[in-house]
Amino acid sequence: MEDVRLAARILVIEDNQANMDLMAYLLQAFGHALLPAGNGEGGLAIARRERPDAIICDVHLPRLDGFGVVAALKRDPALRAIPVIAVTALAMVGDRERLLEAGFDGYISKPIDPETFIGEIERYLPHAGDPEDARFPTHSVERHVTADEMKTHPSRANRRNNGDHSDR
Ligand code: MN
């Protein structure tokens, strides 16, 4: 199966406007929807209301820092499955472990590298056509038709195999 990621709704909690602008530009250029927040409490409120697909979170933030944000997210059964990726300039040995112990699912270091940022973020997003991921049954942009699908959805499978992509 092709390794295709889905368009996702991504909450970005970042108080530095230049970093926010860069991440917003990159995420939107790759088809993702941005939910921006400029401080920790505001980010948490958006997470609870919107249930984003992933959360990118600065560590040093006003009104609840990144450690406080991730602690609150991982305490909440409704939110703890959402991947939370720290974005931070921390570079000392051991900081990665400290971030993972705090509950972050991953880590990206500043300054943000536009060449690699999207690839790093998309590792945490649901895969197109992942049968384990019931949240996204048919949102996939482009995928091969599996043998099982041919059996269970023959008309849809045939239409795709005939090159009719009108339902994209
Ligand atoms: Mn900051």
Side-chain angles (χ1 to χ4, degrees):
M1 182 168 292
E2 269 184 84
D3 193 23
V4 176
R5 263 69 174 185
L6 304 169
R9 292 161 62 250
I10 301 180
L11 168 61
V12 180
I13 311 172
E14 167 63 89
D15 64 322
N16 179 286
Q17 194 61 47
N19 282 329
M20 174 65 87
D21 289 348
L22 177 56
M23 290 190 277
Y25 170 77
L26 292 168
L27 291 169
Q28 290 170 338
F30 282 81
H32 300 299
L34 174 79
L35 301 166
N39 67 72
E41 286 179 8
L44 265 185
I46 292 173
R48 292 186 175 118
R49 191 175 70 231
E50 300 289 340
R51 309 279 176 88
D53 299 307
I55 299 171
I56 299 169
C57 189
D58 185 24
V59 171
H60 296 110
L61 287 166
R63 298 176 60 199
L64 196 63
D65 70 7
F67 289 104
V69 170
V70 78
L73 290 168
K74 298 305 179 183
R75 261 199 310 270
D76 187 335
L79 300 174
R80 69 166 55 120
I82 301 172
V84 187
I85 302 120
V87 182
T88 171
L90 299 174
M92 285 159 46
V93 175
D95 277 340
R96 183 181 173 83
E97 285 68 29
R98 194 161 71 95
L99 292 167
L100 298 180
E101 276 168 23
F104 286 103
D105 297 279
Y107 166 106
I108 289 177
S109 56
K110 290 183 191 174
I112 290 156
D113 180 352
E115 297 290 322
T116 60
F117 174 74
I118 289 293
E120 291 182 85
I121 294 301
E122 288 188 342
R123 288 170 44 214
Y124 298 95
L125 300 181
H127 286 59
D130 184 345
E132 301 288 308
D133 201 329
R135 288 180 301 165
F136 299 92
T138 58
H139 277 76
S140 57
V141 176
E142 195 161 7
R143 48 186 291 213
H144 295 299
V145 175
T146 63
D148 279 352
E149 228 176 354
M150 289 291 281
K151 278 182 232 152
T152 53
H153 302 287
S155 62
R156 181 169 148 227
N158 286 333
R159 195 167 71 240
R160 285 179 180 275
N161 286 351
N162 290 337
D164 177 354
H165 300 125
S166 57
D167 58 344
R168 266 186 200 171

